[in-house]
Amino acid sequence: MPSPRDLASPLGRARMFFAMLSASKLRAPLGRILAGDGAPERPDVHEPLSRIDWLGPDGEVDAAALREITEVLGVMRSSEAILEVGRLDGIPVKTEDSREVSARIVRIVFERVGADRVLTEGELNAAIAMFAADVALVRRDAVDARVLTRSADGASYRLAPPA
């Protein structure tokens, strides 16, 4: 199984392929390449399609690369995904994006420990640390976003009731 560092490349390949499928001007030429009819000559179509590194202009595919992409997509859809993905080293800079990411992390924590649990700051920090390096930022963002409530003394936290 690929290490966390190896997930980005296969996921990027899959994302690129589906992005190309979503572009109407690339769909038919891509189909022709896959059918073995050769690469298109128009530069505005040839150039993007040439970036698919697992697909040759003659329709030959790198089967090992496709197996890796398929395996990684399967892992990312499984309950094992959390074991394969490294924690976030950075949180988005924009406040609304940061709060959104932090809120999602905290919701996942409480999905796992129980939505009705009250956690000490240490327990919450340990749980958040599994997802993000900047524990204090995630905790503060989640409080500011009203996803977490904090006791008056700051010693305990609970998931806020849905708005």
Side-chain angles (χ1 to χ4, degrees), residues 61-104:
V61 298
D62 179 344
L66 290 181
R67 279 192 297 277
E68 180 186 29
I69 293 166
T70 302
E71 181 181 325
V72 167
L73 290 173
V75 167
M76 294 308 294
R77 292 194 67 233
S78 75
S79 60
E80 296 176 21
I82 189 65
L83 302 174
E84 298 296 330
V85 177
R87 68 187 187 153
L88 298 173
D89 289 328
I91 300 290
V93 175
K94 288 176 59 179
T95 302
E96 58 273 5
D97 295 340
S98 175
R99 286 183 181 171
E100 185 177 320
V101 169
S102 297
R104 181 66 184 124

Side-chain angles (χ1 to χ4, degrees), residues 99-153:
R99 286 183 181 171
E100 185 177 320
V101 169
S102 297
R104 181 66 184 124
I105 290 170
V106 166
R107 285 186 186 105
I108 291 170
V109 165
F110 279 92
E111 284 172 10
R112 295 181 179 182
V113 300
D116 295 334
R117 291 260 324 260
V118 175
L119 299 178
T120 66
E121 184 172 342
E123 291 168 332
L124 181 60
N125 288 348
I128 292 171
M130 295 180 67
F131 298 97
D134 195 339
V135 172
L137 175 64
V138 171
R139 194 181 62 242
R140 283 190 308 265
D141 274 354
V143 170
D144 291 345
R146 295 187 172 102
V147 173
L148 270 182
T149 59
R150 178 176 47 208
S151 63
D153 63 359

Side-chain angles (χ1 to χ4, degrees), residues 17-39:
F17 181 69
F18 283 98
M20 288 182 182
L21 283 176
S22 72
S24 60
K25 80 175 188 177
L26 298 178
R27 265 195 304 275
L30 181 56
R32 286 192 290 278
I33 293 173
L34 288 167
D37 293 338

